[in-house]
Amino acid sequence: MSTIDKSTILIEPWNDADLSLLISLNTNRMTQYLGGLESYNQIMSRHMHYLEMRKMGTGQMYAIILLPHRTKIGTVGYWDRKWNDKWIYEIGWSILPQYQRKGIASIAVKKAIIKAQDELKHNYIHAFPSIKNVPSNKICEKLKFKLIKKCNFEYPIGHFMVCNDWRLKLKKKK
């Protein structure tokens, strides 16, 4: 499979049926830059949090869908975070290995950024990929995020890593 056409990628709000996607993404390869594997209870807690984010007004998670078969291939989402004493959106994404390196993440992240902009809530959206996560850092660069600095970042709680702080100004609708 070569580069994907953006019209074949959808992002749809997280729902109960997306638990299996979280389980599929919980592999050593997929969590190597995220603090490692999660227990089933941790996955369930994450799933419930994803379901509640929209209701609480704190962000939105999406399943990434590949057409024409509506295959669930990853996640993308944004959520409120206090960073350097200011409220921002943080954005994160994950693509199953067999769909990586095809431009899918860039398309899905761009679609999620548009959704975040439409909310008119925060001025900036940040991504915090590990400095070792070359593909995620390249996505930030491709989507015109500005590299602010390297930083120590806690994720998950109790696990610190060195990340790049990438920032993108959200455009206000006129």
Side-chain angles (χ1 to χ4, degrees):
M1 189 186 292
S2 59
T3 302
I4 302 289
D5 181 278
K6 69 180 179 179
S7 67
T8 65
I9 302 299
L10 303 177
I11 62 171
E12 295 183 348
W14 199 259
N15 67 57
D16 280 324
D18 295 326
L19 174 60
S20 61
L21 181 57
L22 272 186
I23 292 168
S24 296
L25 290 164
N26 191 43
T27 66
N28 286 321
R29 179 175 175 188
M30 293 302 301
T31 62
Q32 68 181 326
Y33 303 118
L34 300 172
L37 294 173
E38 292 183 311
S39 69
Y40 183 76
N41 286 342
Q42 289 170 313
I43 292 169
M44 282 303 299
S45 176
R46 175 184 303 280
H47 176 62
M48 297 309 294
H49 178 68
Y50 286 178
L51 290 170
E52 293 294 318
M53 285 169 59
R54 173 59 87 191
K55 293 176 194 170
M56 294 173 15
T58 60
Q60 178 67 55
M61 285 304 296
Y62 298 92
I64 302 170
I65 313 291
L66 177 62
L67 298 177
H69 302 293
R70 297 194 50 80
T71 307
K72 293 181 181 185
I73 61 169
T75 66
V76 65
Y78 53 89
W79 50 91
D80 295 336
R81 172 181 279 289
K82 194 156 195 179
W83 184 248
N84 295 329
D85 297 321
K86 294 187 175 135
W87 284 100
I88 60 156
Y89 272 135
E90 179 181 347
I91 191 165
W93 57 89
S94 191
I95 305 289
L96 289 167
Q98 63 269 38
Y99 298 100
Q100 294 176 1
R101 293 185 166 83
K102 297 171 186 2
I104 293 169
S106 295
I107 293 166
V109 170
K110 191 170 188 175
K111 288 181 180 208
I113 289 168
I114 291 167
K115 301 268 189 194
Q117 281 180 173
D118 289 346
E119 292 185 10
L120 303 173
K121 187 173 180 182
H122 299 302
N123 291 323
Y124 294 99
I125 193 163
H126 289 245
F128 299 97
S130 164
I131 61 169
K132 296 176 183 175
N133 187 339
V134 174
S136 287
N137 282 287
K138 286 187 185 271
I139 289 166
C140 292
E141 190 175 329
K142 178 180 179 181
L143 294 179
K144 309 278 192 251
F145 279 72
K146 179 181 177 187
L147 179 58
I148 304 300
K149 65 181 179 180
K150 289 182 181 159
C151 59
N152 287 320
F153 198 80
E154 186 177 19
Y155 184 84
I157 293 172
H159 178 265
F160 288 88
M161 59 182 163
V162 179
C163 292
N164 283 320
D165 177 3
W166 291 93
R167 181 179 75 188
L168 181 71
K169 175 116 174 98
L170 294 174
K171 296 176 183 140
K172 301 291 183 181
K173 301 289 181 192
K174 295 181 181 184

